[in-house]
Amino acid sequence: MAEACENTLAEAVPPRRAPRVTYRGGGAAWALAEAGTLAVFGFGAGAQEMEDPRYLRIELECFDAPGPLEVWQVDAPVEHGCDGAVRWARGGGWLFAGIELDESDHGGPRATARHAYEELRCVVGAHAERHVLRVWNYLAAINQGEDDAERYKLFCDGRAAGMGDFFADGFPAATAIGHHGARPVLQVYLLACDQPGERVENPRQVSAWRYPRQYGRTPPSFARAMALPAADVLAISGTAAVVGHASTHADDLHAQLAETFTNLDTLLATAGMAEGFDTHSPLKAYVRHPADAAQVREFIARRLPGVPVLLLHGDICRRELLVEIDGWRYA
Ligand code: 3EB
C-alpha cells in the first residue's frame, strides 16, 4: 500500500530541474547571497572560512591560484541549517548535506567514517529529500598503512558500517580522494533529491561493491554514475584507469588518462548520453603528482575543448593510479 502511494506521487511530480554547478571567481559571500544558492565550495588552505552552513572549505589544493569557487544553484528558495555536525540546505526538491570531522576526536578513519555516515543518514532521513544520489569523500593520508590496514580500506569499512541498510536498494555515485590538508579531517558531502535517480554501471568495469577480497575486507560502496531525476543529467563518480577490477598502466600518466576517457565514454554511452560532454559539464581532475598537472590539463583540453575543469591535488585510493576524473554531464 505504501509503495502504491509512492508510485502515484512520483508520477504526479514532473522531473526536477537539476542544480546548476559552476566554477567561478569572486567571493563566497556574493555567491551565498544570490537567490537559489544551495552550496558553495572553496578549495585549499587559501580559501575563505565562512560560517554559512552552505559553505565548505575543501582540503584539496587547486593547481590554479587563486582557485575558483564551485557553486550549486537551484531555481527555488533555499532554507538551510545545522543538525549537530551536519550542515544542510534544501530547495526545489534538492538537499545538500555536509560534515567535517576531525579524526583525532573520533579515533582513526574507520570510526570517523562510520560516525560521519551515521550523522548524514540521520539528517537525510529526516527530510523529504531522502534519495542520496552523489557523495564526495575527502580523507587525509589515504594510502598510508599496509594491506587491510591502509587508511582507505579502513575508511571503506567505516563507511559501510555507517551506511547500515540505508542504501539497501543501491549505492549512490561517489568519489573518495586523499587530501594533504594540515588537519586530519574527513570531509563528506552529498546531493540528495526527493525523487530517486537511476544508477549506471560501466560494462568495462566490475561494479565496485563486487571487487574481490584483494582490495580490502569491505568493497567500496558506490555506483559508477547516477542519472539524476532531471532530464539528461549524469553525475559521474570518480573514474580512473580501472578495467575489470584491475588498475591498468601503472606509472604511465598518458595511458591512464586515455583509459579513463574510454571509461567515461563508455559510462555516457551506457547512460544513453552518447553525444558526450558539452561546455556546461564541469569536471574535476584529481592529480597525485603536482608535476603531472600541466599534462593532465592539456590532455583534457584536447579531448574536451571548452569543458570547465578544476585541477586538484589529491591522492587516488590505489597507489598506482595517478589521476582520477569526476563530474557532471548536462544535456
Ligand atoms: C575505482 O574505480 C577507483 O571509494 O567511493 C572511485 C570512485 C574510487 C569512488 C569510493 C573509489 C570510490 O575503484 C576508486
Side-chain angles (χ1 to χ4, degrees):
M1 189 60 201
E3 240 166 81
C5 288
E6 268 175 40
N7 287 340
T8 316
L9 265 180
E11 273 161 35
V13 182
R16 290 293 184 185
R17 275 194 72 174
R20 287 178 303 286
V21 176
T22 53
Y23 302 138
R24 54 151 111 162
W30 289 99
L32 290 164
E34 281 174 30
T37 298
L38 193 69
V40 176
F41 306 91
F43 295 90
Q48 308 169 247
E49 299 282 1
M50 303 280 293
E51 285 297 312
D52 192 302
R54 297 169 296 167
Y55 179 82
L56 273 184
R57 186 179 67 76
I58 301 298
E59 290 284 353
L60 298 171
E61 293 297 329
C62 182
F63 287 114
D64 301 295
L69 296 171
E70 176 175 340
V71 182
W72 295 4
Q73 286 175 310
V74 296
D75 295 313
V78 170
E79 59 165 339
H80 54 78
C82 289
D83 260 314
V86 176
R87 337 151 54 87
W88 57 265
R90 59 195 287 261
W94 302 94
L95 172 74
F96 157 80
I99 189 168
E100 176 182 290
L101 295 177
D102 196 314
E103 283 186 30
S104 19
D105 298 334
H106 296 273
R110 186 190 343 227
T112 310
R114 179 180 181 144
H115 190 73
Y117 274 84
E118 283 169 351
E119 296 276 302
L120 285 167
R121 183 156 59 95
C122 241
V123 171
V124 170
H127 286 100
E129 301 84 0
R130 69 182 191 286
H131 302 283
V132 179
L133 305 174
R134 182 67 171 92
V135 187
W136 290 260
N137 306 273
Y138 300 127
L139 167 72
I142 196 167
N143 298 131
Q144 202 182 83
E146 295 306 313
D147 304 318
D148 284 350
E150 189 185 24
R151 285 171 47 84
Y152 171 64
K153 292 171 184 140
L154 299 174
F155 160 82
C156 285
D157 295 340
R159 170 172 57 180
M163 281 179 165
D165 60 4
F166 196 77
F167 294 103
D169 295 338
F171 296 118
T175 295
I177 288 288
H179 72 70
H180 294 267
R183 300 164 306 139
V185 288
L186 171 66
Q187 301 181 306
V188 184
Y189 65 92
L190 60 83
L191 176 69
C193 186
D194 61 358
Q195 298 179 31
E198 244 176 83
R199 287 163 191 86
V200 180
E201 288 299 302
N202 182 340
R204 301 183 79 231
Q205 299 181 310
V206 172
S207 290
W209 67 87
R210 296 199 176 114
Y211 279 174
R213 176 66 182 85
Q214 71 202 79
Y215 299 101
R217 269 183 306 264
T218 311
S221 332
F222 70 97
R224 297 292 177 186
M226 182 73 74
L228 265 46
D232 281 330
V233 183
L234 189 68
I236 301 159
S237 292
T239 303
V242 172
V243 179
H245 57 72
S247 305
T248 57
H249 318 295
D251 301 324
D252 184 340
L253 178 70
H254 200 270
Q256 286 194 18
L257 281 164
E259 198 73 58
T260 299
F261 270 89
T262 305
N263 279 331
L264 290 170
D265 290 342
T266 305
L267 258 183
L268 292 192
T270 307
M273 299 177 182
E275 334 61 279
F277 296 99
D278 70 3
T279 53
H280 303 295
S281 302
L283 299 180
K284 287 196 187 83
Y286 306 92
V287 182
R288 181 183 293 278
H289 303 303
D292 288 342
Q295 252 186 288
V296 172
R297 189 195 314 277
E298 279 162 37
F299 188 100
I300 299 176
R302 243 194 337 269
R303 284 290 292 254
L304 300 174
V307 169
V309 180
L310 197 60
L311 260 104
L312 298 169
H313 182 204
D315 293 339
I316 295 81
C317 60
R318 296 183 184 189
R319 290 169 202 195
E320 63 279 10
L321 294 175
L322 303 171
V323 63
E324 185 172 301
I325 295 175
D326 73 12
W328 302 89
R329 187 275 186 190
Y330 282 83

